[in-house]
Every structure is written in structure tokens, then in C-alpha cells.
Amino acid sequence: MNILIRAMTPEDIPDLVRIERKTFGMPWSEKTFADLFRRDYNLCLTAEWGGHPVGCAVMTLLGEEGDIDKVMVEEEYRRKGIAKALLDALLGIAEERGARSFTLEVRKSNLPAIRLYEKAGFVSEGVRPRFYEKPVEDALIMWRRPTITRPTGESL
Ligand code: COA
């Protein structure tokens, strides 16, 4: 079966809220998802598997900076490359629209997500103490910044 990555639509909201509630201690509500469609600075993608939504990714894009707000995949569909496909698509669209640097926060204990982001070129640059609730936990602040290359081809 194939993964389809496409623009999120309001029809996806019931499935995405159901997955949210199974996934996060402080899940986004229907209204939080609906509000995304009112803002032209949010990039919102849905992953479909077998014709129904199994995950999503959301970015806030302001000028040259993209802030990744969410990447989630329903538990039964993990380790199939769906988050990687969502993230690659999100970063690609943002770069086409002029973004150069990307940032996100992730729970310090969330190794699957940290590995996913590291594989996409993100590097941990700091900690926000007690950033998360339910349960309380520190956040790692990760960035993917543009690579500066010397005229010799050597990376700085
Ligand atoms: N352990 C270690 N590394 C993992 C991992 C795990 N359980 N799951 C994903 N990864 C890393 C691996 O490097 C993997 O590459 P590989 O399969 O070649 O080794 C890479 O991420 C891509 O994996 P992928 O299959 O695309 O990830 P996924 O579709 O399973 O989704 C999450 C990964 C993190 C989005 C998913 O586990 C999830 O939804 N978790 C709950 C929500 C969440 O924490 N979101 C992120 C914070 S907002």
C-alpha cells in the first residue's frame, strides 16, 4: 500500500482529532485544526494510507523561518516512512516559498521524533526547561539552518 501526502482539508479533522487524542496528553481540538485553515501562514499536510488519514504535519511559516508545530502518525502506521515523507514534503514546500531556517521543540524523552528530526538535518541547540505539561518535561530546541559553503566547496 502506498503513502499519499496531500494538503490537509477540513474533512480530515475528525480523523486527525481522533489520532491526536490517542497520541498527545494535550491534544489539539477540532477548533484548533479548523483555525489552521484561516491562516495563510500555516502549511498543513495530511498523510493517507489505504485511503484514510493516518497522520499530519503542520508548520508556521513566517518569512524565511519555518516553525514545525506538529508531526504525528497513528501508532499502527509507524515505522513505514510516513513521518519522513510528511517532513520532507513540508520542508520542500516551505523552501519553495522562501524558508531557509527551520525550528521546533520536542520532548527531551521523545527519541523517535528526535531521531526523525536529526535525520532531516536538525541539530539540538538548547533546552526550554519545563516547557511541556501533562506530563511536565523539558523541550529540546532544534534548528535546521542553511549550510554556508565557501567558494572552495568546503562547508563552514
Ligand atoms: N525509534 C528510533 N528511531 C525512530 C523511531 C523509533 N521508534 N521512529 C522513527 N524513528 C526515526 C528513524 O530514524 C526513522 O528512520 P529509519 O526507519 O530509516 O530508521 C525515521 O525516524 C523516520 O521514521 P518514520 O517511519 O518516517 O517515522 P514514523 O512514521 O514512525 O513517525 C513519529 C515518527 C515521531 C512522528 C511517530 O512516532 C509519532 O507520531 N509519535 C507521536 C507524536 C510525536 O511525538 N510527534 C513528534 C513531536 S510533535
Side-chain angles (χ1 to χ4, degrees):
M1 210 161 284
N2 286 332
I3 308 163
L4 172 68
I5 306 295
R6 57 163 175 77
M8 191 187 290
T9 68
E11 289 69 39
D12 299 333
I13 293 176
D15 278 315
L16 296 178
V17 169
R18 179 182 54 77
I19 301 168
E20 275 279 321
R21 290 186 179 142
K22 292 198 293 179
T23 305
F24 296 109
M26 295 187 67
W28 285 7
S29 65
E30 281 87 353
K31 182 177 182 309
T32 307
F33 276 102
D35 285 347
L36 296 173
F37 298 102
R38 293 183 220 282
R39 307 186 198 114
D40 59 5
Y41 53 80
N42 281 134
L43 295 182
C44 309
L45 300 178
T46 292
E48 262 187 31
W49 183 273
H52 64 97
V54 296
C56 70
V58 176
M59 180 188 287
T60 300
L61 183 55
L62 293 172
E64 293 191 346
E65 191 180 303
D67 200 334
I68 296 178
D69 301 304
K70 182 174 299 291
V71 179
M72 74 164 175
V73 173
E74 190 167 10
E75 196 166 2
E76 296 86 321
Y77 297 91
R78 291 183 191 160
R79 296 315 297 259
K80 296 177 188 300
I82 296 176
K84 182 181 181 325
L86 279 166
L87 190 57
D88 287 350
L90 200 63
L91 293 169
I93 294 167
E95 279 174 345
E96 276 171 21
R97 296 192 189 177
R100 301 187 72 231
S101 299
F102 301 95
T103 187
L104 57 89
E105 285 97 14
V106 58
R107 283 183 182 270
K108 222 173 155 180
S109 66
N110 191 348
L111 285 183
I114 293 168
R115 295 283 170 271
L116 167 75
Y117 297 134
E118 283 174 345
K119 260 196 163 168
F122 284 81
V123 174
S124 173
E125 292 194 6
V127 175
R128 268 190 230 292
R130 303 173 66 81
F131 180 76
Y132 290 103
E133 296 172 37
K134 294 189 182 177
V136 171
E137 188 176 353
D138 296 351
L140 291 187
I141 307 163
M142 301 185 83
W143 279 90
R144 188 174 97 161
R145 300 184 189 276
T147 314
I148 303 165
T149 311
R150 288 183 198 276
T152 56
E154 179 193 346
S155 289
L156 290 176

